[in-house]
Amino acid sequence: MNIMMDGRPLYPQGYHPIQQDFSPDALHAVTPLSRTEHPVRYFFIDFDLSVRFAEGDSHLVIGDVGRDDKVPELSNDVPYDAFKVDIFALGNLYYKEFHLVSTILVV
């Protein structure tokens, strides 16, 4: 699972795609605005490994490839519920990206 941030509120005039401390034409230095005064939105993205289910179809899948290698259910042989794996992966992402980081910053 990946996270994408919409940085437009921080850079209303835009920024260079490679030299992100510069304007889109790479001629002028830019500084991001404050996140507290200009909140950004985050999006969870991961469409390359997704499966689409028709209404009423079983949610059981097989496969041991995923973004989170800590999911215990992943198997090429035993079917597992794809939605339950998504919830586990999302919870693990929150744990690693928010809980552990905030614990490290506080200590």
Side-chain angles (χ1 to χ4, degrees):
M1 200 168 296
N2 293 311
I3 301 174
M4 181 177 71
M5 180 188 81
D6 180 3
R8 290 178 295 181
L10 303 179
Y11 297 92
Q13 304 303 316
Y15 57 89
H16 193 272
I18 297 170
Q19 299 293 330
Q20 296 180 358
D21 292 335
F22 287 88
S23 59
D25 60 9
L27 296 176
H28 303 75
V30 295
T31 304
L33 300 174
S34 166
R35 288 180 191 230
T36 56
E37 295 175 14
H38 305 277
V40 296
R41 291 179 60 189
Y42 293 91
F43 300 89
F44 293 101
I45 59 170
D46 183 6
F47 296 108
D48 56 334
L49 297 175
S50 297
V51 175
R52 185 173 186 156
F53 298 103
E55 189 173 337
D57 280 358
S58 170
H59 301 148
L60 297 179
V61 296
I62 57 171
D64 65 354
V65 176
R67 295 270 184 214
D68 188 339
D69 60 354
K70 301 296 184 206
V71 177
E73 288 87 355
L74 294 182
S75 169
N76 281 323
D77 304 316
V78 180
Y80 56 87
D81 188 319
F83 293 115
K84 290 181 181 180
V85 167
D86 286 346
I87 296 301
F88 178 94
L90 186 58
N92 204 23
L93 175 88
Y94 286 151
Y95 177 73
K96 290 188 295 189
E97 298 295 329
F98 298 110
H99 176 72
L100 289 181
V101 171
S102 65
T103 304
I104 291 169
L105 294 176
V106 170
V107 173

